[in-house]
Short mmCIF file of all heavy atoms in Angstrom, two decimals:
data_model
loop_
_atom_site.label_atom_id
_atom_site.label_comp_id
_atom_site.label_asym_id
_atom_site.label_seq_id
_atom_site.Cartn_x
_atom_site.Cartn_y
_atom_site.Cartn_z
N LEU G 1 150.65 75.39 132.04
CA LEU G 1 150.46 75.70 133.46
C LEU G 1 149.17 76.49 133.61
O LEU G 1 148.74 77.17 132.68
CB LEU G 1 151.62 76.54 134.01
CG LEU G 1 153.02 75.93 134.09
CD1 LEU G 1 154.02 77.00 134.53
CD2 LEU G 1 153.06 74.75 135.05
N GLN G 2 148.59 76.41 134.80
CA GLN G 2 147.37 77.18 135.06
C GLN G 2 147.60 78.33 136.03
O GLN G 2 146.88 79.32 136.01
CB GLN G 2 146.29 76.24 135.63
CG GLN G 2 145.79 75.19 134.65
CD GLN G 2 146.80 74.09 134.41
OE1 GLN G 2 147.40 73.57 135.37
NE2 GLN G 2 147.00 73.71 133.16
N LEU G 3 148.61 78.21 136.89
CA LEU G 3 148.97 79.25 137.84
C LEU G 3 150.47 79.46 137.77
O LEU G 3 151.22 78.54 137.42
CB LEU G 3 148.59 78.85 139.28
CG LEU G 3 147.11 78.57 139.57
CD1 LEU G 3 146.96 77.97 140.98
CD2 LEU G 3 146.28 79.84 139.44
N GLY G 4 150.94 80.66 138.12
CA GLY G 4 152.37 80.91 138.08
C GLY G 4 152.78 82.04 139.00
O GLY G 4 152.03 82.99 139.22
N MET G 5 153.99 81.93 139.53
CA MET G 5 154.60 83.00 140.32
C MET G 5 155.54 83.77 139.39
O MET G 5 156.25 83.16 138.59
CB MET G 5 155.35 82.41 141.51
CG MET G 5 154.45 81.61 142.44
SD MET G 5 155.35 80.62 143.67
CE MET G 5 155.90 81.88 144.82
N THR G 6 155.54 85.08 139.49
CA THR G 6 156.36 85.89 138.59
C THR G 6 156.66 87.24 139.21
O THR G 6 155.90 87.74 140.05
CB THR G 6 155.66 86.09 137.23
OG1 THR G 6 156.44 86.96 136.41
CG2 THR G 6 154.29 86.70 137.39
N VAL G 7 157.77 87.83 138.79
CA VAL G 7 158.01 89.25 139.09
C VAL G 7 156.98 90.04 138.30
O VAL G 7 156.65 89.69 137.16
CB VAL G 7 159.44 89.65 138.66
CG1 VAL G 7 159.69 91.13 138.93
CG2 VAL G 7 160.47 88.79 139.40
N HIS G 8 156.46 91.12 138.87
CA HIS G 8 155.36 91.83 138.22
C HIS G 8 155.79 92.51 136.92
O HIS G 8 154.96 92.69 136.01
CB HIS G 8 154.71 92.83 139.17
CG HIS G 8 155.42 94.15 139.34
ND1 HIS G 8 156.56 94.30 140.08
CD2 HIS G 8 155.13 95.38 138.84
CE1 HIS G 8 156.94 95.56 140.06
NE2 HIS G 8 156.10 96.24 139.31
N ILE G 9 157.06 92.86 136.78
CA ILE G 9 157.51 93.56 135.57
C ILE G 9 157.49 92.67 134.33
O ILE G 9 156.98 93.08 133.28
CB ILE G 9 158.88 94.22 135.82
CG1 ILE G 9 158.72 95.33 136.87
CG2 ILE G 9 159.46 94.80 134.53
CD1 ILE G 9 160.01 95.94 137.36
N PRO G 10 158.01 91.43 134.37
CA PRO G 10 157.84 90.55 133.20
C PRO G 10 156.37 90.31 132.86
O PRO G 10 156.02 90.15 131.69
CB PRO G 10 158.53 89.25 133.64
CG PRO G 10 159.55 89.68 134.62
CD PRO G 10 158.92 90.82 135.37
N ALA G 11 155.50 90.28 133.87
CA ALA G 11 154.07 90.10 133.61
C ALA G 11 153.53 91.30 132.83
O ALA G 11 152.76 91.15 131.87
CB ALA G 11 153.31 89.93 134.92
N GLN G 12 153.93 92.51 133.23
CA GLN G 12 153.53 93.71 132.48
C GLN G 12 154.06 93.65 131.05
O GLN G 12 153.34 93.98 130.10
CB GLN G 12 154.07 94.96 133.19
CG GLN G 12 153.43 95.25 134.53
CD GLN G 12 154.11 96.39 135.26
OE1 GLN G 12 155.29 96.69 135.03
NE2 GLN G 12 153.40 97.05 136.15
N ASN G 13 155.31 93.24 130.90
CA ASN G 13 155.92 93.15 129.57
C ASN G 13 155.20 92.13 128.70
O ASN G 13 155.02 92.34 127.49
CB ASN G 13 157.40 92.78 129.68
CG ASN G 13 158.25 93.91 130.23
OD1 ASN G 13 157.84 95.08 130.21
ND2 ASN G 13 159.43 93.59 130.72
N ALA G 14 154.77 91.02 129.30
CA ALA G 14 154.09 89.97 128.54
C ALA G 14 152.78 90.48 127.96
O ALA G 14 152.47 90.25 126.78
CB ALA G 14 153.84 88.75 129.43
N GLN G 15 151.99 91.17 128.77
CA GLN G 15 150.70 91.66 128.29
C GLN G 15 150.85 92.82 127.31
O GLN G 15 149.97 93.05 126.48
CB GLN G 15 149.81 92.05 129.47
CG GLN G 15 149.35 90.84 130.28
CD GLN G 15 148.29 91.16 131.32
OE1 GLN G 15 147.97 92.30 131.59
NE2 GLN G 15 147.74 90.11 131.91
N ALA G 16 152.00 93.52 127.37
CA ALA G 16 152.24 94.64 126.46
C ALA G 16 153.05 94.24 125.23
O ALA G 16 153.17 95.01 124.28
CB ALA G 16 152.96 95.76 127.20
N GLY G 17 153.63 93.02 125.25
CA GLY G 17 154.49 92.59 124.14
C GLY G 17 155.79 93.35 124.09
O GLY G 17 156.30 93.67 123.02
N LYS G 18 156.37 93.62 125.26
CA LYS G 18 157.62 94.38 125.34
C LYS G 18 158.69 93.57 126.08
O LYS G 18 158.42 92.49 126.60
CB LYS G 18 157.38 95.71 126.08
CG LYS G 18 156.41 96.65 125.39
CD LYS G 18 156.22 97.91 126.21
CE LYS G 18 155.25 98.88 125.53
NZ LYS G 18 155.03 100.10 126.36
N GLY G 19 159.89 94.13 126.15
CA GLY G 19 160.97 93.52 126.92
C GLY G 19 161.24 92.08 126.51
O GLY G 19 161.47 91.79 125.34
N GLU G 20 161.18 91.17 127.47
CA GLU G 20 161.43 89.76 127.22
C GLU G 20 160.40 89.17 126.24
O GLU G 20 160.64 88.12 125.64
CB GLU G 20 161.38 88.95 128.53
CG GLU G 20 162.21 89.53 129.67
CD GLU G 20 161.41 90.50 130.53
OE1 GLU G 20 160.55 91.24 129.98
OE2 GLU G 20 161.64 90.54 131.74
N PHE G 21 159.26 89.84 126.11
CA PHE G 21 158.18 89.37 125.23
C PHE G 21 158.01 90.30 124.03
O PHE G 21 156.90 90.45 123.52
CB PHE G 21 156.87 89.28 126.03
CG PHE G 21 156.91 88.25 127.13
CD1 PHE G 21 157.32 88.59 128.41
CD2 PHE G 21 156.55 86.93 126.87
CE1 PHE G 21 157.36 87.65 129.43
CE2 PHE G 21 156.59 85.99 127.89
CZ PHE G 21 157.00 86.35 129.16
N ASP G 22 159.09 90.91 123.59
CA ASP G 22 159.04 91.88 122.50
C ASP G 22 158.36 91.29 121.27
O ASP G 22 158.82 90.31 120.68
CB ASP G 22 160.46 92.32 122.14
CG ASP G 22 160.48 93.44 121.12
OD1 ASP G 22 159.48 94.18 121.04
OD2 ASP G 22 161.47 93.58 120.40
N GLY G 23 157.22 91.87 120.89
CA GLY G 23 156.49 91.44 119.71
C GLY G 23 155.65 90.19 119.89
O GLY G 23 154.99 89.74 118.95
N ILE G 24 155.66 89.61 121.10
CA ILE G 24 154.88 88.38 121.34
C ILE G 24 154.05 88.58 122.60
O ILE G 24 154.51 88.28 123.71
CB ILE G 24 155.80 87.15 121.49
CG1 ILE G 24 156.76 87.04 120.31
CG2 ILE G 24 154.96 85.88 121.62
CD1 ILE G 24 157.80 85.95 120.47
N LYS G 25 152.86 89.08 122.47
CA LYS G 25 152.00 89.30 123.64
C LYS G 25 151.48 87.98 124.19
O LYS G 25 151.14 87.07 123.45
CB LYS G 25 150.81 90.18 123.26
CG LYS G 25 151.16 91.64 122.99
CD LYS G 25 149.89 92.45 122.77
CE LYS G 25 150.20 93.91 122.52
NZ LYS G 25 148.97 94.71 122.35
N VAL G 26 151.42 87.91 125.52
CA VAL G 26 150.75 86.80 126.20
C VAL G 26 149.63 87.44 127.00
O VAL G 26 149.88 88.18 127.96
CB VAL G 26 151.70 86.02 127.13
CG1 VAL G 26 150.96 84.85 127.78
CG2 VAL G 26 152.92 85.52 126.36
N GLU G 27 148.40 87.17 126.63
CA GLU G 27 147.27 87.89 127.21
C GLU G 27 146.26 87.00 127.93
O GLU G 27 145.28 87.50 128.48
CB GLU G 27 146.55 88.68 126.11
CG GLU G 27 147.44 89.73 125.44
CD GLU G 27 146.74 90.45 124.31
OE1 GLU G 27 146.43 89.79 123.31
OE2 GLU G 27 146.48 91.67 124.46
N ASN G 28 146.51 85.68 127.95
CA ASN G 28 145.52 84.78 128.54
C ASN G 28 145.79 84.50 130.02
O ASN G 28 145.61 83.39 130.51
CB ASN G 28 145.48 83.45 127.78
CG ASN G 28 146.76 82.65 127.92
OD1 ASN G 28 147.85 83.22 128.02
ND2 ASN G 28 146.65 81.33 127.94
N PHE G 29 146.26 85.53 130.74
CA PHE G 29 146.45 85.37 132.19
C PHE G 29 146.05 86.66 132.88
O PHE G 29 146.02 87.73 132.27
CB PHE G 29 147.90 85.00 132.53
CG PHE G 29 148.89 86.13 132.34
CD1 PHE G 29 149.20 86.99 133.39
CD2 PHE G 29 149.51 86.33 131.11
CE1 PHE G 29 150.11 88.03 133.21
CE2 PHE G 29 150.42 87.36 130.93
CZ PHE G 29 150.72 88.21 131.99
N GLY G 30 145.77 86.55 134.16
CA GLY G 30 145.38 87.71 134.93
C GLY G 30 146.04 87.73 136.30
O GLY G 30 146.38 86.68 136.85
N PHE G 31 146.21 88.92 136.84
CA PHE G 31 146.78 89.14 138.17
C PHE G 31 145.85 88.53 139.23
O PHE G 31 144.64 88.72 139.19
CB PHE G 31 146.92 90.64 138.39
CG PHE G 31 147.38 91.07 139.76
CD1 PHE G 31 148.72 91.22 140.03
CD2 PHE G 31 146.46 91.36 140.76
CE1 PHE G 31 149.16 91.64 141.28
CE2 PHE G 31 146.88 91.78 142.01
CZ PHE G 31 148.23 91.92 142.28
#
């Protein structure tokens, strides 16, 4: 996907590698 709608908290977790994304950072997206 190139664009996405999301709750801001999972987005924070993704870039930090926490919560639902524990240990797996996703960093190739921006607000």
Side-chain angles (χ1 to χ4, degrees):
L1 294 174
Q2 293 73 45
L3 300 171
M5 300 168 74
T6 176
V7 178
H8 81 284
I9 294 172
Q12 292 173 336
N13 289 341
Q15 291 189 351
K18 298 179 180 178
E20 311 90 325
F21 295 91
D22 187 25
I24 307 173
K25 289 186 179 182
V26 182
E27 299 177 294
N28 67 326
F29 72 91
F31 175 90

